[in-house]
Amino acid sequence: MHADDFRRDNYGVVSGLRDGGYSDDMTLAAIAGAHKRLITSPPVAVFPHPLASDLSFSRYWNYLRKQTFVLESYISRVNWLMNRGLFSFHCYLSWGFVAPYFMAAVHIAAALQIYIKGYSYEETTCTTSGLLLVSCLAICTLTELLSMWNLTRIEVQLCNMLSPEAPKLSLDYYNWSLIFVALLVDNFLYPISAFRSHFSQSINWSGIRYHLKNGKINKIERNRGRGPKFTDLGGKHLYGKKGAPPKASFLSSLARSLCQWHQPKKYEV
């Protein structure tokens, strides 16, 4: 964006952020949309952001909450309507993505039960339509993962060209089975996080709790260093020592959290 837009507060880009603004990108996108302005992201702004090796479920959940909390901030009625639409649409698509896999698991479990008990399909009311749908879902899933692989391959090539001095990125480190599981977990938890953000109207960001009222920040509480150490899913030491295994996997952290819950880049412009 042009620097003069900020110097002169054109379209309210400064006041929109100063007077209770929370999300810089969402606020500027709303202002640009309202005044028919164009925001562009140059290719040199693409950079890799590897995950840290010491992720935990609570750290992931806090990150997800931040992603959904931005939909609760707005600067105009139109912006509010757009955020409500994004809220509803994303929740619908997220659980719409997870539901077929849940139903597929039910169909497979029913078919296995028939097989284990020695029944034939002629002796039951079960039809093969469910398993046919499961096969179609498996084909769609493989197509989706193949598309993600191709897109990631292009992004990795771009990052390697833009940062020739940095260590080369490679697709060899990607575990596509875990990526598929991550898609299911993320889409399942997104609506829960969205509703949590909607009803709480507050978020903890690195020990600072922000409270919203009518889409704007009206209260800030500082916890004096008692908050989380990280603000996202990256870290100062992304991998630790080269080749060193992570201290704990995300899935083990998730299981541990569930058990505890159950118990009482540079360039010139």
Side-chain angles (χ1 to χ4, degrees):
M1 298 182 69
H2 295 285
D4 283 343
D5 289 339
F6 292 94
R7 296 190 183 105
R8 302 173 183 174
D9 193 18
N10 294 338
Y11 318 111
V13 296
V14 176
S15 57
L17 295 171
R18 180 189 59 208
D19 302 333
Y22 171 75
S23 172
D24 53 351
D25 52 353
M26 296 288 285
T27 299
L28 295 178
I31 293 174
H35 295 86
K36 310 300 181 183
R37 304 295 292 178
L38 178 66
I39 296 179
T40 181
S41 179
V44 290
V46 178
F47 57 91
H49 189 191
L51 295 177
S53 59
D54 56 346
L55 291 180
S56 62
F57 179 74
S58 60
R59 186 170 166 186
Y60 162 74
W61 175 251
N62 185 250
Y63 167 82
L64 186 61
R65 284 272 284 109
K66 295 169 188 173
Q67 304 307 303
T68 58
F69 188 72
V70 296
L71 297 178
E72 300 301 319
S73 63
Y74 54 90
I75 60 172
S76 64
R77 177 71 176 176
V78 174
N79 189 203
W80 179 84
L81 290 173
M82 181 173 291
N83 285 358
R84 292 301 94 199
L86 288 172
F87 177 95
S88 305
F89 192 59
H90 207 320
C91 290
Y92 171 77
L93 290 180
S94 291
W95 277 352
F97 176 83
V98 175
Y101 293 98
F102 175 77
M103 295 305 300
V106 173
H107 285 299
I108 294 175
L112 288 175
Q113 186 178 25
I114 293 172
Y115 174 79
I116 292 174
K117 292 186 176 181
Y119 294 111
S120 64
Y121 285 102
E122 293 77 10
E123 297 175 334
T124 65
T125 58
C126 178
T127 63
T128 58
S129 58
L131 294 180
L132 179 62
L133 292 175
V134 171
S135 301
C136 293
L137 179 62
I139 294 174
C140 292
T141 301
L142 291 176
T143 304
E144 175 191 17
L145 292 176
L146 181 62
S147 300
M148 291 178 59
W149 171 84
N150 186 57
L151 177 60
T152 307
R153 178 183 60 83
I154 296 173
E155 291 176 342
V156 165
Q157 290 177 350
L158 179 59
C159 291
N160 287 333
M161 288 188 295
L162 294 175
S163 303
E165 74 285 352
K168 295 297 181 182
L169 299 176
S170 175
L171 287 173
D172 296 339
Y173 300 102
Y174 284 74
N175 188 323
W176 294 98
S177 298
L178 288 180
I179 289 176
F180 172 69
V181 174
L183 283 173
L184 291 177
V185 172
D186 195 65
N187 281 281
F188 174 75
L189 291 178
Y190 185 93
I192 299 175
S193 174
F195 280 105
R196 176 75 174 85
S197 298
H198 176 70
F199 288 107
S200 69
Q201 291 293 296
S202 66
I203 188 69
N204 189 318
W205 190 295
S206 296
I208 303 176
R209 182 165 292 277
Y210 299 91
H211 297 265
L212 292 181
K213 184 177 181 180
N214 297 325
K216 295 184 178 181
I217 294 175
N218 74 321
K219 182 180 179 182
I220 297 177
E221 296 177 343
R222 302 182 184 274
N223 296 330
R224 298 182 180 180
R226 295 196 300 257
K229 182 179 179 180
F230 299 97
T231 61
D232 53 28
L233 300 186
K236 182 177 180 180
H237 304 289
L238 296 176
Y239 300 106
K241 295 182 179 180
K242 185 176 180 181
K247 296 179 180 179
S249 68
F250 172 80
L251 292 178
S252 62
S253 175
L254 173 59
R256 183 168 58 253
S257 299
L258 290 176
C259 291
Q260 293 174 353
W261 173 80
H262 188 268
Q263 297 173 354
K265 170 144 357 186
K266 294 177 179 178
Y267 61 92
E268 295 181 355
V269 179

